[in-house]
PDB file of all heavy atoms in Angstrom:
ATOM      1  N   LEU B 399      61.527 -25.068  24.893  1.00 94.00           N
ATOM      2  CA  LEU B 399      61.253 -25.605  23.568  1.00 94.00           C
ATOM      3  C   LEU B 399      60.204 -24.785  22.835  1.00 94.00           C
ATOM      4  O   LEU B 399      59.774 -25.159  21.750  1.00 94.00           O
ATOM      5  CB  LEU B 399      60.787 -27.053  23.676  1.00 94.00           C
ATOM      6  CG  LEU B 399      61.877 -28.050  24.108  1.00 94.00           C
ATOM      7  CD1 LEU B 399      61.258 -29.383  24.448  1.00 94.00           C
ATOM      8  CD2 LEU B 399      62.918 -28.190  23.018  1.00 94.00           C
ATOM      9  N   GLY B 400      59.749 -23.718  23.466  1.00 93.00           N
ATOM     10  CA  GLY B 400      58.808 -22.821  22.802  1.00 93.00           C
ATOM     11  C   GLY B 400      57.360 -23.157  23.046  1.00 93.00           C
ATOM     12  O   GLY B 400      56.477 -22.676  22.344  1.00 93.00           O
ATOM     13  N   ALA B 401      57.081 -23.995  24.045  1.00 93.00           N
ATOM     14  CA  ALA B 401      55.686 -24.325  24.329  1.00 93.00           C
ATOM     15  C   ALA B 401      54.990 -23.150  25.003  1.00 93.00           C
ATOM     16  O   ALA B 401      55.623 -22.393  25.747  1.00 93.00           O
ATOM     17  CB  ALA B 401      55.617 -25.545  25.239  1.00 93.00           C
ATOM     18  N   THR B 402      53.687 -22.998  24.710  1.00 93.00           N
ATOM     19  CA  THR B 402      52.917 -21.963  25.406  1.00 93.00           C
ATOM     20  C   THR B 402      52.553 -22.496  26.786  1.00 93.00           C
ATOM     21  O   THR B 402      52.787 -23.659  27.103  1.00 93.00           O
ATOM     22  CB  THR B 402      51.618 -21.646  24.649  1.00 93.00           C
ATOM     23  OG1 THR B 402      50.832 -22.836  24.614  1.00 93.00           O
ATOM     24  CG2 THR B 402      51.917 -21.174  23.245  1.00 93.00           C
ATOM     25  N   LYS B 403      51.951 -21.616  27.587  1.00 92.00           N
ATOM     26  CA  LYS B 403      51.575 -22.022  28.940  1.00 92.00           C
ATOM     27  C   LYS B 403      50.579 -23.183  28.893  1.00 92.00           C
ATOM     28  O   LYS B 403      50.702 -24.164  29.625  1.00 92.00           O
ATOM     29  CB  LYS B 403      50.965 -20.825  29.672  1.00 92.00           C
ATOM     30  CG  LYS B 403      50.743 -21.093  31.137  1.00 92.00           C
ATOM     31  CD  LYS B 403      50.917 -19.823  31.956  1.00 92.00           C
ATOM     32  CE  LYS B 403      51.416 -20.167  33.340  1.00 92.00           C
ATOM     33  NZ  LYS B 403      51.969 -19.049  34.044  1.00 92.00           N
ATOM     34  N   TRP B 404      49.590 -23.051  28.026  1.00 93.00           N
ATOM     35  CA  TRP B 404      48.566 -24.093  27.926  1.00 93.00           C
ATOM     36  C   TRP B 404      49.156 -25.412  27.459  1.00 93.00           C
ATOM     37  O   TRP B 404      48.833 -26.470  27.975  1.00 93.00           O
ATOM     38  CB  TRP B 404      47.452 -23.626  26.990  1.00 93.00           C
ATOM     39  CG  TRP B 404      46.465 -24.722  26.672  1.00 93.00           C
ATOM     40  CD1 TRP B 404      46.176 -25.220  25.447  1.00 93.00           C
ATOM     41  CD2 TRP B 404      45.667 -25.485  27.595  1.00 93.00           C
ATOM     42  NE1 TRP B 404      45.256 -26.227  25.532  1.00 93.00           N
ATOM     43  CE2 TRP B 404      44.931 -26.405  26.859  1.00 93.00           C
ATOM     44  CE3 TRP B 404      45.538 -25.464  28.992  1.00 93.00           C
ATOM     45  CZ2 TRP B 404      44.052 -27.301  27.433  1.00 93.00           C
ATOM     46  CZ3 TRP B 404      44.661 -26.363  29.575  1.00 93.00           C
ATOM     47  CH2 TRP B 404      43.926 -27.253  28.801  1.00 93.00           C
ATOM     48  N   GLN B 405      50.067 -25.331  26.475  1.00 93.00           N
ATOM     49  CA  GLN B 405      50.730 -26.551  25.996  1.00 93.00           C
ATOM     50  C   GLN B 405      51.535 -27.203  27.112  1.00 93.00           C
ATOM     51  O   GLN B 405      51.526 -28.421  27.277  1.00 93.00           O
ATOM     52  CB  GLN B 405      51.641 -26.234  24.819  1.00 93.00           C
ATOM     53  CG  GLN B 405      50.865 -26.040  23.527  1.00 93.00           C
ATOM     54  CD  GLN B 405      51.718 -25.447  22.435  1.00 93.00           C
ATOM     55  OE1 GLN B 405      52.699 -24.744  22.706  1.00 93.00           O
ATOM     56  NE2 GLN B 405      51.338 -25.711  21.191  1.00 93.00           N
ATOM     57  N   THR B 406      52.228 -26.355  27.900  1.00 93.00           N
ATOM     58  CA  THR B 406      53.017 -26.884  29.014  1.00 93.00           C
ATOM     59  C   THR B 406      52.119 -27.623  29.999  1.00 93.00           C
ATOM     60  O   THR B 406      52.421 -28.738  30.424  1.00 93.00           O
ATOM     61  CB  THR B 406      53.748 -25.739  29.741  1.00 93.00           C
ATOM     62  OG1 THR B 406      54.403 -24.944  28.763  1.00 93.00           O
ATOM     63  CG2 THR B 406      54.732 -26.279  30.742  1.00 93.00           C
ATOM     64  N   ILE B 407      51.001 -26.963  30.321  1.00 93.00           N
ATOM     65  CA  ILE B 407      50.099 -27.582  31.307  1.00 93.00           C
ATOM     66  C   ILE B 407      49.506 -28.874  30.764  1.00 93.00           C
ATOM     67  O   ILE B 407      49.549 -29.919  31.414  1.00 93.00           O
ATOM     68  CB  ILE B 407      48.975 -26.591  31.688  1.00 93.00           C
ATOM     69  CG1 ILE B 407      49.560 -25.415  32.471  1.00 93.00           C
ATOM     70  CG2 ILE B 407      47.897 -27.290  32.502  1.00 93.00           C
ATOM     71  CD1 ILE B 407      48.589 -24.290  32.678  1.00 93.00           C
ATOM     72  N   SER B 408      48.950 -28.807  29.563  1.00 92.00           N
ATOM     73  CA  SER B 408      48.174 -29.958  29.068  1.00 92.00           C
ATOM     74  C   SER B 408      49.063 -31.077  28.565  1.00 92.00           C
ATOM     75  O   SER B 408      48.711 -32.245  28.686  1.00 92.00           O
ATOM     76  CB  SER B 408      47.215 -29.507  27.964  1.00 92.00           C
ATOM     77  OG  SER B 408      47.955 -29.022  26.863  1.00 92.00           O
ATOM     78  N   LYS B 409      50.250 -30.750  28.008  1.00 91.00           N
ATOM     79  CA  LYS B 409      51.070 -31.797  27.397  1.00 91.00           C
ATOM     80  C   LYS B 409      52.182 -32.288  28.317  1.00 91.00           C
ATOM     81  O   LYS B 409      52.688 -33.396  28.135  1.00 91.00           O
ATOM     82  CB  LYS B 409      51.702 -31.271  26.089  1.00 91.00           C
ATOM     83  CG  LYS B 409      50.687 -30.879  25.038  1.00 91.00           C
ATOM     84  CD  LYS B 409      50.347 -32.059  24.133  1.00 91.00           C
ATOM     85  CE  LYS B 409      49.069 -31.859  23.352  1.00 91.00           C
ATOM     86  NZ  LYS B 409      49.081 -30.711  22.455  1.00 91.00           N
ATOM     87  N   VAL B 410      52.588 -31.443  29.269  1.00 91.00           N
ATOM     88  CA  VAL B 410      53.732 -31.833  30.102  1.00 91.00           C
ATOM     89  C   VAL B 410      53.330 -32.047  31.561  1.00 91.00           C
ATOM     90  O   VAL B 410      53.503 -33.129  32.123  1.00 91.00           O
ATOM     91  CB  VAL B 410      54.855 -30.771  30.021  1.00 91.00           C
ATOM     92  CG1 VAL B 410      56.023 -31.158  30.931  1.00 91.00           C
ATOM     93  CG2 VAL B 410      55.309 -30.603  28.578  1.00 91.00           C
ATOM     94  N   ILE B 411      52.776 -31.008  32.168  1.00 92.00           N
ATOM     95  CA  ILE B 411      52.527 -31.059  33.617  1.00 92.00           C
ATOM     96  C   ILE B 411      51.451 -32.080  33.969  1.00 92.00           C
ATOM     97  O   ILE B 411      51.646 -32.939  34.825  1.00 92.00           O
ATOM     98  CB  ILE B 411      52.105 -29.668  34.143  1.00 92.00           C
ATOM     99  CG1 ILE B 411      53.132 -28.614  33.715  1.00 92.00           C
ATOM    100  CG2 ILE B 411      51.959 -29.692  35.654  1.00 92.00           C
ATOM    101  CD1 ILE B 411      54.460 -28.750  34.346  1.00 92.00           C
ATOM    102  N   LEU B 412      50.303 -31.980  33.278  1.00 91.00           N
ATOM    103  CA  LEU B 412      49.201 -32.888  33.617  1.00 91.00           C
ATOM    104  C   LEU B 412      49.571 -34.360  33.404  1.00 91.00           C
ATOM    105  O   LEU B 412      49.321 -35.183  34.286  1.00 91.00           O
ATOM    106  CB  LEU B 412      47.936 -32.521  32.831  1.00 91.00           C
ATOM    107  CG  LEU B 412      46.964 -31.565  33.535  1.00 91.00           C
ATOM    108  CD1 LEU B 412      45.707 -31.389  32.702  1.00 91.00           C
ATOM    109  CD2 LEU B 412      46.620 -32.033  34.938  1.00 91.00           C
ATOM    110  N   PRO B 413      50.175 -34.723  32.253  1.00 90.00           N
ATOM    111  CA  PRO B 413      50.577 -36.129  32.113  1.00 90.00           C
ATOM    112  C   PRO B 413      51.566 -36.564  33.184  1.00 90.00           C
ATOM    113  O   PRO B 413      51.473 -37.680  33.698  1.00 90.00           O
ATOM    114  CB  PRO B 413      51.228 -36.165  30.732  1.00 90.00           C
ATOM    115  CG  PRO B 413      50.607 -35.043  29.987  1.00 90.00           C
ATOM    116  CD  PRO B 413      50.361 -33.975  30.994  1.00 90.00           C
ATOM    117  N   ALA B 414      52.485 -35.666  33.547  1.00 89.00           N
ATOM    118  CA  ALA B 414      53.468 -36.027  34.565  1.00 89.00           C
ATOM    119  C   ALA B 414      52.796 -36.251  35.910  1.00 89.00           C
ATOM    120  O   ALA B 414      53.201 -37.109  36.694  1.00 89.00           O
ATOM    121  CB  ALA B 414      54.529 -34.943  34.677  1.00 89.00           C
TER     122      ALA B 414
END
Side-chain angles (χ1 to χ4, degrees):
Chain B
L399 290 169
T402 62
K403 189 148 210 163
W404 171 240
Q405 283 168 334
T406 311
I407 292 170
S408 63
K409 298 270 163 61
V410 178
I411 307 292
L412 267 185

